[in-house]
Amino acid sequence: MAEENSSAAGSSSRAQRNIKEKHRRMHMKDLISQLASLIPSSSKLSMPEILDEATRYITHLQKNKESLERRRALLKEEDHTEPTVMNITISGPTLEVNLICGSNRNFMFHEIISVLEEGAAEVINVTQFNSGDRVIFSVQSKAINSRIGVETDRVQERLKELIL
């Protein structure tokens, strides 16, 4: 009688294990079906093919996300880049150049000085102000020879080419 109880208990636990295993397989099948519905595929795939395709698709999505994040960062940088503003004031033999540009604007300030000197102007004073993400330059110059004056049209054209 003890043997009958132990064999009945053994078959009962085996049946329970079989039921648990059947539930596990059904659960896995449902999860694989859900995964298959999330990946782009036009044909019916086996479980290993679904897992392989899902892995490739996730990798593709990650690379796409990284690419979009880089693009977004570049677009944000471009959005914050404000245009350079240049104002040239002429008063007799003096010429004043005022520039307002972003702090990330890359140009060589000595090139501005060179343009003024090529235009027959001598630099008298240079002032620079930093205001947040903007930089303001003010360059005051005068004609080297007051009878000849400064070649303002040429200076203005060259500065626009260099800065704007």
Side-chain angles (χ1 to χ4, degrees):
M1 188 142 190
E3 288 178 25
E4 287 179 22
N5 285 341
S6 67
S7 75
S11 64
S12 162
S13 68
R14 181 176 296 140
Q16 287 177 340
R17 280 190 305 239
N18 289 343
I19 291 171
K20 283 183 180 181
E21 179 62 21
K22 184 177 180 181
H23 286 301
R24 186 191 69 78
R25 284 193 312 267
M26 288 175 52
H27 184 65
M28 289 295 291
K29 186 177 178 182
D30 288 342
L31 291 174
I32 294 293
S33 294
Q34 288 176 12
L35 184 61
S37 71
L38 296 174
I39 59 173
S41 179
S42 59
S43 63
K44 186 157 172 73
L45 303 172
S46 67
M47 185 169 63
E49 291 171 330
I50 291 170
L51 294 173
D52 188 41
E53 192 64 32
T55 303
R56 271 187 264 164
Y57 186 59
I58 290 169
T59 303
H60 165 76
L61 290 175
Q62 286 174 331
K63 288 179 182 177
N64 192 27
K65 178 186 172 218
E66 291 168 3
S67 173
L68 289 171
E69 286 174 343
R70 284 192 301 273
R71 185 172 178 215
R72 181 180 181 195
L74 287 173
L75 289 173
K76 277 187 174 183
E77 286 177 16
E78 289 175 9
D79 286 347
H80 293 301
T81 304
E82 295 182 32
T84 299
V85 178
M86 180 175 66
N87 182 29
I88 297 176
T89 307
I90 304 164
S91 177
T94 62
L95 176 80
E96 184 174 344
V97 179
N98 294 307
L99 296 171
I100 303 171
C101 60
S103 60
N104 60 349
R105 177 80 168 128
N106 294 326
F107 61 85
M108 300 297 181
F109 195 69
H110 72 276
E111 293 174 333
I112 296 170
I113 305 288
S114 296
V115 168
L116 290 170
E117 289 174 346
E118 289 169 9
E122 175 185 14
V123 176
I124 301 169
N125 187 25
V126 177
T127 309
Q128 174 185 340
F129 300 100
N130 291 327
S131 175
D133 62 341
R134 304 291 281 162
V135 180
I136 303 167
F137 295 102
S138 179
V139 181
Q140 296 172 343
S141 60
K142 68 175 185 174
I144 294 174
N145 185 336
S146 60
R147 286 185 298 165
I148 298 174
V150 178
E151 298 177 39
T152 55
D153 292 338
R154 182 170 180 242
V155 167
Q156 193 168 13
E157 185 179 312
R158 295 252 307 146
L159 286 174
K160 282 182 181 177
E161 289 172 6
L162 179 68
I163 295 165
L164 302 177

Short mmCIF file of all heavy atoms in Angstrom, two decimals, residues 35 39-41 45-64:
data_model
loop_
_atom_site.label_atom_id
_atom_site.label_comp_id
_atom_site.label_asym_id
_atom_site.label_seq_id
_atom_site.Cartn_x
_atom_site.Cartn_y
_atom_site.Cartn_z
N LEU A 35 6.80 38.76 -30.43
CA LEU A 35 8.04 39.26 -31.00
C LEU A 35 7.97 39.26 -32.53
O LEU A 35 8.36 40.23 -33.18
CB LEU A 35 9.22 38.41 -30.52
CG LEU A 35 10.62 38.85 -30.95
CD1 LEU A 35 10.92 40.25 -30.42
CD2 LEU A 35 11.65 37.86 -30.44
N ILE A 39 8.46 42.61 -35.62
CA ILE A 39 9.53 42.74 -36.60
C ILE A 39 8.96 42.75 -38.01
O ILE A 39 7.97 42.10 -38.28
CB ILE A 39 10.60 41.62 -36.46
CG1 ILE A 39 9.98 40.24 -36.62
CG2 ILE A 39 11.33 41.73 -35.14
CD1 ILE A 39 10.99 39.11 -36.66
N PRO A 40 9.59 43.54 -38.89
CA PRO A 40 9.10 43.57 -40.26
C PRO A 40 9.52 42.30 -41.01
O PRO A 40 10.70 42.05 -41.23
CB PRO A 40 9.77 44.81 -40.86
CG PRO A 40 11.00 45.00 -40.05
CD PRO A 40 10.70 44.47 -38.68
N SER A 41 8.56 41.49 -41.36
CA SER A 41 8.84 40.26 -42.10
C SER A 41 7.62 39.91 -42.91
O SER A 41 6.49 40.00 -42.42
CB SER A 41 9.18 39.12 -41.14
OG SER A 41 9.41 37.94 -41.87
N LEU A 45 8.17 32.69 -40.19
CA LEU A 45 9.51 32.32 -39.80
C LEU A 45 9.48 31.30 -38.67
O LEU A 45 8.55 31.29 -37.85
CB LEU A 45 10.30 33.55 -39.34
CG LEU A 45 10.44 34.71 -40.33
CD1 LEU A 45 11.06 35.91 -39.65
CD2 LEU A 45 11.26 34.28 -41.53
N SER A 46 10.52 30.50 -38.60
CA SER A 46 10.65 29.57 -37.48
C SER A 46 11.13 30.36 -36.26
O SER A 46 11.55 31.51 -36.37
CB SER A 46 11.67 28.48 -37.82
OG SER A 46 12.96 29.04 -37.93
N MET A 47 11.07 29.73 -35.08
CA MET A 47 11.47 30.41 -33.86
C MET A 47 12.92 30.91 -33.93
O MET A 47 13.16 32.08 -33.60
CB MET A 47 11.27 29.50 -32.64
CG MET A 47 11.57 30.25 -31.34
SD MET A 47 11.08 29.38 -29.84
CE MET A 47 12.10 27.95 -29.89
N PRO A 48 13.90 30.09 -34.35
CA PRO A 48 15.27 30.62 -34.45
C PRO A 48 15.38 31.78 -35.46
O PRO A 48 16.11 32.75 -35.22
CB PRO A 48 16.10 29.43 -34.91
CG PRO A 48 15.31 28.23 -34.52
CD PRO A 48 13.88 28.65 -34.59
N GLU A 49 14.63 31.70 -36.56
CA GLU A 49 14.65 32.78 -37.54
C GLU A 49 14.04 34.06 -36.97
O GLU A 49 14.53 35.16 -37.22
CB GLU A 49 13.90 32.37 -38.81
CG GLU A 49 14.59 31.29 -39.61
CD GLU A 49 13.73 30.74 -40.73
OE1 GLU A 49 12.48 30.72 -40.59
OE2 GLU A 49 14.32 30.32 -41.74
N ILE A 50 12.98 33.92 -36.19
CA ILE A 50 12.35 35.08 -35.54
C ILE A 50 13.34 35.74 -34.59
O ILE A 50 13.51 36.97 -34.60
CB ILE A 50 11.06 34.68 -34.80
CG1 ILE A 50 9.98 34.29 -35.79
CG2 ILE A 50 10.57 35.80 -33.88
CD1 ILE A 50 8.75 33.66 -35.15
N LEU A 51 14.02 34.93 -33.79
CA LEU A 51 14.99 35.49 -32.84
C LEU A 51 16.15 36.17 -33.57
O LEU A 51 16.60 37.26 -33.18
CB LEU A 51 15.51 34.39 -31.90
CG LEU A 51 14.47 33.80 -30.95
CD1 LEU A 51 15.05 32.61 -30.20
CD2 LEU A 51 13.95 34.85 -29.98
N ASP A 52 16.62 35.55 -34.64
CA ASP A 52 17.71 36.13 -35.42
C ASP A 52 17.27 37.44 -36.07
O ASP A 52 17.99 38.45 -36.01
CB ASP A 52 18.16 35.12 -36.49
CG ASP A 52 19.41 35.56 -37.21
OD1 ASP A 52 20.33 36.07 -36.53
OD2 ASP A 52 19.48 35.39 -38.44
N GLU A 53 16.09 37.44 -36.67
CA GLU A 53 15.57 38.64 -37.33
C GLU A 53 15.32 39.75 -36.30
O GLU A 53 15.60 40.92 -36.56
CB GLU A 53 14.27 38.29 -38.06
CG GLU A 53 13.79 39.35 -39.01
CD GLU A 53 14.73 39.61 -40.16
OE1 GLU A 53 15.42 38.68 -40.62
OE2 GLU A 53 14.78 40.77 -40.62
N ALA A 54 14.81 39.39 -35.14
CA ALA A 54 14.57 40.39 -34.08
C ALA A 54 15.88 41.00 -33.61
O ALA A 54 15.97 42.21 -33.40
CB ALA A 54 13.83 39.75 -32.90
N THR A 55 16.92 40.19 -33.49
CA THR A 55 18.23 40.70 -33.08
C THR A 55 18.76 41.69 -34.11
O THR A 55 19.23 42.77 -33.77
CB THR A 55 19.23 39.53 -32.92
OG1 THR A 55 18.70 38.61 -31.96
CG2 THR A 55 20.58 40.02 -32.46
N ARG A 56 18.67 41.34 -35.39
CA ARG A 56 19.11 42.25 -36.46
C ARG A 56 18.29 43.54 -36.47
O ARG A 56 18.84 44.63 -36.63
CB ARG A 56 19.00 41.56 -37.82
CG ARG A 56 20.27 40.80 -38.16
CD ARG A 56 20.20 40.27 -39.55
NE ARG A 56 19.72 38.91 -39.34
CZ ARG A 56 19.21 38.11 -40.23
NH1 ARG A 56 19.09 38.51 -41.46
NH2 ARG A 56 18.81 36.91 -39.94
N TYR A 57 16.99 43.39 -36.29
CA TYR A 57 16.12 44.56 -36.32
C TYR A 57 16.41 45.50 -35.14
O TYR A 57 16.45 46.72 -35.32
CB TYR A 57 14.65 44.11 -36.31
CG TYR A 57 13.67 45.24 -36.49
CD1 TYR A 57 13.70 46.06 -37.62
CD2 TYR A 57 12.68 45.47 -35.54
CE1 TYR A 57 12.79 47.08 -37.78
CE2 TYR A 57 11.77 46.49 -35.70
CZ TYR A 57 11.82 47.29 -36.82
OH TYR A 57 10.92 48.31 -36.98
N ILE A 58 16.63 44.95 -33.97
CA ILE A 58 16.96 45.77 -32.79
C ILE A 58 18.28 46.49 -33.01
O ILE A 58 18.41 47.68 -32.71
CB ILE A 58 16.97 44.92 -31.51
CG1 ILE A 58 15.54 44.49 -31.15
CG2 ILE A 58 17.61 45.67 -30.35
CD1 ILE A 58 15.46 43.43 -30.07
N THR A 59 19.27 45.80 -33.56
CA THR A 59 20.57 46.43 -33.86
C THR A 59 20.38 47.57 -34.86
O THR A 59 20.95 48.65 -34.70
CB THR A 59 21.56 45.39 -34.42
OG1 THR A 59 21.68 44.33 -33.47
CG2 THR A 59 22.91 45.99 -34.69
N HIS A 60 19.57 47.32 -35.88
CA HIS A 60 19.28 48.36 -36.88
C HIS A 60 18.62 49.57 -36.22
O HIS A 60 18.98 50.72 -36.49
CB HIS A 60 18.37 47.78 -37.97
CG HIS A 60 17.72 48.80 -38.83
ND1 HIS A 60 18.41 49.48 -39.82
CD2 HIS A 60 16.45 49.29 -38.86
CE1 HIS A 60 17.58 50.33 -40.40
NE2 HIS A 60 16.38 50.22 -39.84
N LEU A 61 17.66 49.34 -35.35
CA LEU A 61 16.97 50.43 -34.66
C LEU A 61 17.91 51.22 -33.77
O LEU A 61 17.83 52.45 -33.69
CB LEU A 61 15.79 49.89 -33.85
CG LEU A 61 14.60 49.36 -34.65
CD1 LEU A 61 13.57 48.74 -33.70
CD2 LEU A 61 13.97 50.47 -35.48
N GLN A 62 18.84 50.53 -33.09
CA GLN A 62 19.80 51.22 -32.24
C GLN A 62 20.70 52.12 -33.06
O GLN A 62 20.95 53.27 -32.69
CB GLN A 62 20.64 50.21 -31.46
CG GLN A 62 19.90 49.53 -30.33
CD GLN A 62 20.72 48.42 -29.68
OE1 GLN A 62 21.56 47.79 -30.31
NE2 GLN A 62 20.46 48.19 -28.40
N LYS A 63 21.20 51.62 -34.20
CA LYS A 63 22.05 52.44 -35.06
C LYS A 63 21.27 53.63 -35.62
O LYS A 63 21.79 54.75 -35.69
CB LYS A 63 22.62 51.60 -36.20
CG LYS A 63 23.68 50.63 -35.75
CD LYS A 63 24.19 49.79 -36.89
CE LYS A 63 25.22 48.80 -36.40
NZ LYS A 63 25.69 47.91 -37.47
N ASN A 64 20.04 53.39 -36.00
CA ASN A 64 19.20 54.46 -36.51
C ASN A 64 18.97 55.52 -35.43
O ASN A 64 19.02 56.72 -35.71
CB ASN A 64 17.87 53.88 -36.99
CG ASN A 64 17.06 54.86 -37.79
OD1 ASN A 64 17.58 55.77 -38.40
ND2 ASN A 64 15.76 54.66 -37.77
#
